[in-house]
Amino acid sequence: MILRYEGTRPPLREFGILIPTARNRPQQILDALRADADLGREAQWLIGPDGSTIGRADLERVHDPAYVERLFGEGLEAVLMSVFELVDEHGAYHRYDPAIATRALSGMFDGTLHGLAGTCQCGREALRRGFCFYLGGGSHHAHYAFGHGFCVVNDSVIAIRRLQHEGEITRAWVIDVDAHKGDGTAALTRGDESIVTLSVHMAHGWPLDLPALDADGQPHPSHIPSDIDVPIAAGAESSYLPRLTDALEELSRYPRPDIAYVLAGADPYEHDELPSTRDLRLSLEQMYERDLRIYDYLGRLSIAQAWLMAGGYGERAWEPYPPFLAHALLHKP
Ligand SMILES: [Zn+2]
């Protein structure tokens, strides 16, 4: 089943943010799936919001209460300026022009909360149906007391802790194959044996090139390891799939979870346009095989699969999804 939420990410330009974004990726994916005659009527494979909402308590199970207070209070705009890097080191606006904004910057957080509800619903649908792919989510860079990398709060950890709180699940895995390390997820779940994290990512580059110490002289949490980390060096694309298979095998040594969240970023794709992902260039076939291996692996173990779209930049960032989704919709896990 595919889950679509509308309006979670209004165009950044409406908020005065001048970061170039591609066309609507969920729409491009859905257009391709609708053109696939094998899939039948979309009512059979596409669902929308179930009306559930996300509250402050859901965020406080994961993030610093003082940070959550800023998000729900006067500090929100400053947090968003920092997360989207809208001020440079000299204090001047960076790719930000409030004069062209048609909406208040703080309004962006409403979309974030709406999108978070989708990540939670994706988990519930996965528990009920075996597989659900949410055309959104994957904000894996948000840490305990701050957001960065365009991630305000960490949606997969918020969803898992909520499902645990509601008694729906006990254990979860997070399998993160976005090009960037799932640094926030690793840090937030360190010491929590009920959540096991696997991240396959570029060996170098953001966030792994951040200083070892933060501004207060404390170790920067982006360097906290996942339970299993698989760093892929530049030019080592041919090792990607074998190392993914080995990592999944290693994951089997942990207790079986009730659910796995999969962060299926498209930014390892060779046609991704974000300059910082240039070191990892998987072909369309390798991307398909990546997703298939995870899907089949979880299917063999009968683990509920909640997939999130995560990163992907540029005009072709939608391309890796339809072949895998068509397969998943036609072949039950
Ligand atoms: Zn990414």
Side-chain angles (χ1 to χ4, degrees):
M1 196 55 78
I2 293 178
L3 175 61
R4 169 86 195 269
Y5 271 52
E6 310 254 9
T8 59
R9 287 194 175 190
L12 291 177
R13 204 178 165 82
E14 292 180 11
F15 300 101
I17 299 175
L18 304 171
I19 299 170
T21 44
R23 286 192 296 131
N24 188 326
R25 195 160 46 134
Q27 195 59 48
Q28 290 170 302
I29 294 168
L30 287 177
D31 287 347
L33 294 176
R34 285 171 178 140
D36 188 334
D38 293 339
L39 297 179
R41 290 183 301 111
E42 73 179 47
Q44 294 171 324
W45 50 263
L46 181 65
I47 52 174
D50 62 2
S52 58
T53 56
I54 284 288
R56 189 166 168 157
D58 296 308
L59 274 58
E60 287 175 341
R61 266 181 227 113
V62 173
H63 293 283
D64 182 351
Y67 179 58
V68 177
E69 171 65 31
R70 292 176 71 199
L71 294 175
F72 282 88
E74 297 291 308
L76 173 60
E77 202 157 303
V79 169
L80 294 172
M81 299 281 281
S82 162
V83 169
F84 286 88
E85 300 160 21
L86 303 180
V87 179
D88 66 18
E89 65 268 33
H90 308 296
Y93 286 152
H94 170 56
R95 59 192 182 189
Y96 178 53
D97 182 1
I100 65 159
T102 54
R103 310 165 68 145
L105 189 60
S106 55
M108 195 185 287
F109 189 54
D110 295 334
T112 301
L113 289 176
H114 186 47
L116 267 172
T119 301
C120 289
Q121 185 183 342
C122 181
R124 286 193 300 274
E125 303 288 352
L127 290 169
R128 194 179 316 149
R129 306 167 187 269
F131 170 81
C132 184
F133 191 105
Y134 175 39
L135 295 171
S139 52
H140 57 169
H141 297 310
H143 283 271
Y144 179 65
F146 67 95
H148 70 168
F150 305 168
C151 301
V152 180
V153 289
N154 195 303
D155 66 330
S156 62
V157 184
I158 289 171
I160 290 166
R161 293 249 166 92
R162 173 156 164 170
L163 290 170
Q164 289 175 325
H165 177 75
E166 292 172 343
E168 297 277 344
I169 64 165
T170 303
R171 294 178 180 278
W173 288 348
V174 180
I175 299 174
D176 187 337
V177 287
D178 188 275
H180 302 94
K181 186 193 165 184
D183 61 329
T185 312
L188 285 166
T189 61
R190 177 173 58 170
D192 179 350
E193 292 185 359
S194 72
I195 304 176
V196 177
T197 55
L198 159 63
S199 179
V200 185
H201 49 256
M202 297 181 299
H204 302 287
W206 199 91
L208 298 173
D209 59 0
L210 288 167
L213 301 178
D214 66 16
D216 301 324
Q218 299 298 315
H220 197 291
S222 285
H223 298 287
I224 291 172
S226 316
D227 292 294
I228 305 171
D229 275 317
V230 182
I232 305 290
E237 284 80 3
S238 62
S239 73
Y240 189 97
L241 292 170
R243 293 190 68 194
L244 171 63
T245 299
D246 290 346
L248 293 173
E249 201 51 50
E250 195 179 338
L251 199 52
S252 304
R253 297 197 201 120
Y254 289 87
R256 184 183 172 283
D258 306 294
I259 194 169
Y261 268 90
V262 180
L263 275 66
D267 47 8
Y269 182 36
E270 61 182 331
H271 296 297
D272 192 86
E273 291 175 22
L274 193 70
S276 70
T277 61
R278 226 175 272 140
D279 277 359
L280 184 55
R281 306 178 76 86
L282 300 183
S283 67
L284 197 61
E285 293 72 26
Q286 287 172 313
M287 292 292 289
Y288 179 65
E289 185 64 25
R290 175 196 78 169
D291 294 345
L292 213 56
R293 285 190 191 196
I294 297 168
Y295 183 73
D296 288 346
Y297 167 77
L298 294 172
R300 276 197 300 278
L301 296 174
S302 300
I303 295 168
Q305 308 189 28
W307 288 60
L308 308 176
M309 197 164 63
Y313 309 88
E315 278 301 312
R316 300 182 66 174
W318 63 277
E319 291 179 353
Y321 297 100
F324 165 68
L325 289 174
H327 174 89
L329 292 172
L330 292 169
H331 303 86
K332 298 274 176 229

